Amino acid sequence: MNHKTRIMITGIVQGVGFRPFVYHLAHKYNLKGFCLNNSQGVLIEVQGEMIDTFIQEIKTSPPPLSRIEKLTSQTLISNEIFMDFCIRENLSYKGDFTLLSPDISICRDCIKELLDSHDRRYHYPFINCTHCGPRYSIIRDVPYDRSTTTMASFALCRECESEYHDPANRRFHAQPNACSLCGPKVWFVEKGERCAPGSNVINYPAIQKAKKFLREGAIIAIKGLGGFHLSCDATNNDAVKRLRERKRRPHKPFAIMAPDTETVRMFCFVSEEEKTMLEGRIRPIVILRKIIPSLISDTVAPHNKHLGVMLPYTPLHYLLFNPDEIQLTALVMTSGNQSEEPIVVSNDEAIERLSSIADCFLLHDRDIHMRIDDSIIKARVLHTSLSFTSETQKQEYKIQIIRRARGFVPEAIDLGEEVEEILACGAELKNTFCLTKGRKAILSQHIGDLQNYDTLGFFQESLKNLTHSFRVIPRIIAHDLHPDYLSTRCALEHASQMHIPQTSIIPVQHHHAHIVSCMTEHNLNRKVIGVVFDGTGYGPDEHIWGGEFLVADRQGFLRKAHLEYIPMPGGEKAIKEPWRMAVAYLYHIFHDEIFDILPGFLNRLNPKDIDIIIRMIKGNINTPLTSSAGRLFDTVSSLLGIRDSITFEGEAALELEMKADYRHKGETYRYPFTITGGKPLTIDLKPLIRSITEDSVNGVETALISFNFHDTLAELILQVSNIIKEENGVWDVILSGGVFQNELLLNLTTEHLTKGGFTVWCHEKVPSNDGGISLGQAVVAWEKIKTQSKTDF
């Protein structure tokens, strides 16, 4: 009898060159057998003498884009004698799943060929290989094969097919492989022309034409990897202003793309860590500090010290920056959509929806199956003043994810244990959903704000795709505690359609989910102090929470302290008009003497409007109570004359942060506040607001007031954490919620807590904003299902 060794490898092992790698390795060690993709991962069967060495090299030197989660091997008795080693056809088994690869930036080898006039793919805008190119955005089904992608309609030419089947070739089993003879094409369309390529200019000449229009100030809708971008010359002030007017986006920062890091350093400071983030395989938008004055138009990111910058990640992008007769320094690359709508993905949809914004279009015919926005990250500096003297002080960095999408999704997060199949539907704003399968949590790409039909359609489209790709049939549904969120209604409708029993439908409090998402990232399974500062979260007392101190584990929580409740005049309207919250705070402190307190603030407003707000508060008319830290930032921003109304979420708080000047650190002082007794503790901010108004009246610089305000909140967090620690013996502090995207507040708070002896945990794999909520919901739901009872605190 003969023997063979069967090896099963799971993880990110499809679409990353794993089978060609195994093929070459088997030949290196003179092994016979086969490998193939199946619904679980990569299956290998081999015979030979050096199998142990073969397995060891798979473990230690896998393809760079792969990630092995598990490798198992077993020796089997077999009548079969393998004569060679080959790659066999894929197999699919019902119910099995494998991890999928995210879309990957173009590799250096492909860039070299793209710009080599002697290469047959010279200037071909869809060049790719086993090591790069589209993955998640084109996959219709698994196992990952050309026939299950949007490349299925493009039959390989003789040369491309030869490469595809040649084990020695870099394009061996590269599913999106193509060339100008057999693959997708790009073409240029002016307004009024036919959407189909027809007689339009195609491929590189089309890109050259687009460059000419961009240089002349045009706005172009460019079809990319996961959807359309709206693009214009980022150095052209008039073009950027026109884009803002047409997109109805007056202030929210635009992302820009530049050809390389050297160019980026012409207008931004770039550390070595940020350089690595810019140039890595993900190619996200990286938040960088501006050099002022800048050659980039001030209207790209008004009232902001930072720019969101990315490098090219597709061959088409590289060709846009190719230094021929037209050289572009930087392009605005903002999501191709109308305000609050999902990113556009099809040519017909682009013509229909974007013609009111774009002057012309750069289209292609490779379909996008899964729309996906660009990810946004920044490098968060870790203060190390406790560990180093000033002479040897070093700076360490961690990634902070603001938006998790292209390049990250659908990479899974390990849960540390096998769980039931769960669907967690996330929050209303910055929505993502989360699915679980085995030990894995799969977060969707950024969906957006679930406040209209189009975004709901995107949610359902993505849910259908990911449940199918990962073979998930949810048996447990988790949702936000808020009964009116569209995500909650989606969850309940899905539960009804799937006939899920009521005991398996788990509502999860918003801020608890924030904390548990961070706990899951760091594999924490003990009680923690969770400090969650954000804009809105529905509380069990039916008030709007958002300035919370919880003692929590994965199953339950107790509210230990919160910012005092303040009325929100007009409800959601107070979010869009921060002056309303400022009036509410002033009236809370000064009552009817409000008109004598801050004339500079009040003179900007209509006295009738102020009177209406006061009457609403007195009569308790549409004035829900909130403890929101987000509304506190809005209040201070308005009181200081920075922002009375907003055009995008967090605008007032962002501009308040931008005003803070680090140079004032030597002369700073903290504002007073009071922690009052009770269960939970209440943090009285009247002394703080009173002091800020006095400073403003006395002419203290806004930069100093802003810094003092941030530093005071950091000290407040330390003091409250100390009280909770003494009572509960908990030294781990989690910082979560959208307010902690504020770099100054996060750094000051981390510094204060660390000096106070606490271990501080922040988000690194999912956003601290509501984009990370769904992960926490899934884990809380699982913990509750396991015990069907609350934790005994």
Side-chain angles (χ1 to χ4, degrees):
M1 298 292 286
N2 295 300
H3 293 81
K4 64 180 179 181
T5 298
R6 177 175 293 165
I7 304 163
M8 187 66 220
I9 306 171
T10 60
I12 299 178
V13 291
Q14 294 189 15
V16 292
F18 212 95
R19 289 174 299 165
F21 161 73
V22 170
Y23 178 93
H24 289 296
L25 205 58
H27 280 269
K28 175 180 176 180
Y29 294 114
N30 196 30
L31 303 179
K32 313 299 182 186
F34 68 88
C35 69
L36 57 82
N37 281 346
N38 64 21
S39 305
Q40 294 178 309
V42 172
L43 173 68
I44 306 167
E45 290 191 1
V46 285
Q47 294 170 337
E49 298 296 325
M50 300 187 70
I51 293 175
D52 289 343
T53 307
F54 170 74
I55 292 173
Q56 185 61 27
E57 189 160 342
I58 290 175
K59 291 178 178 179
T60 57
S61 304
L65 299 178
S66 67
R67 190 178 74 218
I68 296 175
E69 298 282 343
K70 187 177 182 181
L71 186 153
T72 60
S73 64
Q74 56 180 321
T75 301
L76 304 172
I77 296 173
S78 172
N79 292 322
E80 189 174 11
I81 299 176
F82 298 126
M83 304 306 295
D84 58 8
F85 191 91
C86 65
I87 295 177
R88 290 188 180 177
E89 291 293 318
N90 294 342
L91 293 175
S92 180
Y93 303 109
K94 187 176 180 180
D96 287 342
F97 83 103
T98 187
L99 299 179
L100 304 177
S101 169
D103 298 302
I104 301 163
S105 168
I106 180 173
C107 69
R108 292 187 179 186
D109 287 335
C110 283
I111 294 172
K112 184 178 179 181
E113 293 172 347
L114 177 72
L115 303 178
D116 181 356
S117 60
H118 300 292
D119 192 277
R120 73 185 191 91
R121 290 188 177 85
Y122 178 56
H123 285 172
Y124 180 56
F126 300 95
I127 188 172
N128 66 86
C129 70
T130 306
H131 304 132
C132 69
R135 299 291 191 274
Y136 176 64
S137 59
I138 65 169
I139 293 174
R140 298 185 189 275
D141 201 356
V142 293
Y144 176 63
D145 205 351
R146 192 180 184 92
S147 62
T148 58
T149 72
T150 60
M151 288 296 295
S153 60
F154 297 97
L156 290 165
C157 69
R158 187 172 62 183
E159 285 186 87
C160 285
E161 187 158 19
S162 175
E163 293 170 334
Y164 184 87
H165 292 292
D166 179 4
N169 195 285
R170 200 174 83 252
R171 295 186 171 88
F172 183 45
H173 280 256
Q175 307 307 339
N177 187 30
C179 71
S180 59
L181 295 176
C182 64
K185 293 176 173 57
V186 61
W187 64 96
F188 186 85
V189 175
E190 294 186 55
K191 276 187 180 176
E193 291 184 340
R194 293 179 59 199
C195 181
S199 60
N200 291 302
V201 179
I202 64 168
N203 289 347
Y204 190 57
I207 295 169
Q208 287 179 303
K209 191 170 183 180
K211 289 173 66 174
K212 178 177 178 292
F213 273 70
L214 287 166
R215 172 56 71 204
E216 292 171 354
I219 298 166
I220 302 184
I222 301 174
K223 188 176 182 180
L225 189 69
F228 275 79
H229 284 115
L230 287 165
S231 184
C232 68
D233 184 349
T235 66
N236 186 324
N237 206 45
D238 291 338
V240 179
K241 283 182 178 178
R242 223 177 319 114
L243 177 55
R244 287 204 172 280
E245 290 166 2
R246 293 181 186 178
K247 201 177 181 188
R248 299 174 188 169
R249 185 170 161 172
H251 300 121
K252 191 173 183 179
F254 286 142
I256 64 174
M257 180 179 285
D260 49 48
T261 304
E262 289 68 31
T263 303
V264 176
R265 282 181 165 148
M266 294 167 61
F267 46 81
C268 285
F269 297 100
V270 183
S271 69
E272 284 305 305
E273 289 76 10
E274 289 165 336
K275 179 176 184 289
T276 299
M277 293 175 185
L278 283 168
E279 297 178 353
R281 68 173 180 84
I282 295 174
R283 297 289 171 97
I285 297 166
V286 181
I287 307 298
L288 302 172
R289 194 166 181 83
K290 285 180 185 176
I291 294 173
I292 300 174
S294 173
L295 55 85
I296 301 298
S297 167
D298 290 337
T299 54
V300 167
H303 314 297
N304 202 315
K305 295 177 181 176
H306 299 91
L307 286 172
V309 185
M310 59 182 159
L311 299 186
Y313 55 86
T314 72
L316 189 153
H317 294 150
Y318 271 95
L319 293 176
L320 282 170
F321 289 105
N322 190 33
D324 49 19
E325 66 274 11
I326 299 173
Q327 177 65 61
L328 297 169
T329 302
L331 294 173
V332 169
M333 284 285 191
T334 189
S335 298
N337 55 3
Q338 294 278 3
S339 182
E340 309 304 328
E341 293 181 357
I343 188 170
V344 170
V345 292
S346 76
N347 295 336
D348 290 338
E349 186 184 16
I351 298 295
E352 177 186 348
R353 291 180 178 254
L354 302 181
S355 287
S356 62
I357 303 174
D359 298 308
C360 36
F361 298 82
L362 195 59
L363 307 176
H364 65 71
D365 54 359
R366 185 179 69 201
D367 288 343
I368 299 167
H369 185 61
M370 280 311 305
R371 69 186 83 209
I372 187 164
D373 280 286
D374 297 310
S375 293
I376 305 174
I377 69 172
K378 63 181 174 181
R380 185 172 72 86
V381 179
L382 301 181
H383 291 281
T384 54
S385 55
L386 295 175
S387 304
F388 300 93
T389 65
S390 58
E391 290 80 11
T392 60
Q393 189 169 5
K394 298 178 182 178
Q395 287 187 329
E396 296 179 24
Y397 293 80
K398 289 282 189 181
I399 288 179
Q400 185 178 17
I401 298 177
I402 310 299
R403 184 168 75 195
R404 189 176 184 272
R406 177 186 54 75
F408 290 102
V409 176
E411 282 193 355
I413 294 172
D414 189 79
L415 296 172
E417 63 175 318
E418 294 283 328
V419 306
E420 290 282 352
E421 295 182 9
I422 302 170
L423 164 62
C425 289
E428 182 170 70
L429 301 181
K430 295 181 172 61
N431 178 267
T432 64
F433 61 83
C434 179
L435 299 168
T436 64
K437 182 81 174 184
R439 293 170 54 96
K440 302 299 179 185
I442 303 102
L443 268 72
S444 74
Q445 65 270 45
H446 167 80
I447 301 294
D449 297 347
L450 275 184
Q451 295 180 327
N452 59 59
Y453 179 80
D454 291 315
T455 311
L456 175 61
F458 180 23
F459 176 97
Q460 293 170 334
E461 163 192 298
S462 302
L463 178 60
K464 180 181 178 181
N465 183 66
L466 282 173
T467 51
H468 178 72
S469 296
F470 287 93
R471 309 296 195 251
V472 176
I473 303 175
R475 302 300 182 195
I476 301 166
I477 303 289
H479 63 83
D480 194 275
L481 196 62
H482 199 301
D484 296 328
Y485 277 180
L486 195 52
S487 60
T488 300
R489 281 181 266 165
C490 286
L492 297 179
E493 287 172 11
H494 194 86
S496 176
Q497 293 167 5
M498 298 293 293
H499 305 290
I500 292 173
Q502 192 64 39
T503 53
S504 296
I505 304 171
I506 311 295
V508 180
Q509 202 280 326
H510 188 91
H511 302 95
H512 186 208
H514 266 302
I515 295 166
V516 176
S517 69
C518 190
M519 293 178 72
T520 304
E521 286 188 54
H522 297 287
N523 197 28
L524 295 175
N525 207 354
R526 55 184 179 268
K527 289 181 183 179
V528 299
I529 299 170
V531 183
V532 188
F533 279 13
D534 64 0
T536 300
Y538 189 76
D541 59 1
E542 299 186 352
H543 295 321
I544 300 169
W545 290 13
E548 307 307 313
F549 294 79
L550 311 179
V551 170
D553 61 16
R554 294 185 176 208
Q555 188 186 78
F557 69 92
L558 280 180
R559 192 186 198 195
K560 290 294 185 177
H562 62 87
L563 303 184
E564 66 175 326
Y565 282 129
I566 298 292
M568 279 179 67
E572 286 196 10
K573 201 160 188 182
I575 299 173
K576 296 180 180 178
E577 298 179 359
W579 68 268
R580 291 170 175 260
M581 287 304 305
V583 170
Y585 263 102
L586 290 178
Y587 184 76
H588 181 59
I589 299 167
F590 301 107
H591 303 293
D592 290 330
E593 298 176 9
I594 179 174
F595 291 97
D596 302 323
I597 299 304
L598 199 59
F601 167 70
L602 296 171
N603 289 344
R604 297 198 310 270
L605 306 177
N606 187 325
K608 290 183 180 179
D609 290 338
I610 298 173
D611 185 60
I612 290 170
I613 296 300
I614 292 173
R615 281 191 282 136
M616 288 173 68
I617 294 170
K618 285 181 175 180
N620 194 25
I621 302 167
N622 191 21
T623 50
L625 295 177
T626 182
S627 61
S628 167
R631 302 292 76 79
L632 173 64
F633 272 81
D634 288 350
T635 296
V636 176
S637 183
S638 181
L639 289 175
L640 297 181
I642 297 170
R643 177 69 50 190
D644 288 331
S645 62
I646 65 168
T647 61
F648 64 90
E649 186 197 12
E651 183 177 9
L654 174 65
E655 292 188 15
L656 178 62
E657 179 193 0
M658 293 300 106
K659 290 289 185 183
D661 192 335
Y662 296 81
R663 289 175 298 179
H664 284 289
K665 195 166 184 181
E667 57 190 75
T668 59
Y669 46 90
R670 293 180 185 133
Y671 295 121
F673 56 87
T674 304
I675 302 170
T676 60
K679 292 189 177 182
L681 301 170
T682 299
I683 302 154
D684 182 355
L685 297 173
K686 290 191 290 292
L688 179 148
I689 297 297
R690 186 188 295 270
S691 298
I692 286 176
T693 58
E694 290 173 358
D695 272 1
S696 182
V697 168
N698 292 331
V700 176
E701 286 185 61
T702 299
L704 179 57
I705 297 173
S706 177
F707 187 92
N708 289 344
F709 169 68
H710 284 82
D711 197 39
T712 299
L713 288 186
E715 176 63 21
L716 180 156
I717 291 168
L718 173 63
Q719 289 190 24
V720 176
S721 297
N722 273 325
I723 294 170
I724 297 172
K725 175 199 69 180
E726 292 301 319
E727 181 183 332
N728 297 271
V730 180
W731 289 83
D732 292 290
V733 178
I734 280 176
L735 303 178
S736 188
V739 170
F740 282 112
Q741 289 178 174
N742 180 316
E743 185 177 0
L744 176 58
L745 178 66
L746 183 59
N747 286 342
L748 287 170
T749 303
T750 302
E751 190 173 355
H752 282 55
L753 288 168
T754 303
K755 287 179 179 178
F758 290 95
T759 301
V760 182
W761 304 92
C762 302
H763 291 272
E764 296 171 16
K765 297 179 183 177
V766 301
S768 64
N769 61 44
D770 285 3
I773 284 276
S774 60
L775 174 63
Q777 289 176 342
V779 174
V780 171
W782 173 237
E783 293 295 328
K784 288 182 178 290
I785 287 292
K786 282 197 297 185
T787 63
Q788 291 292 347
S789 64
K790 293 183 179 179
T791 299
D792 181 12
F793 277 78

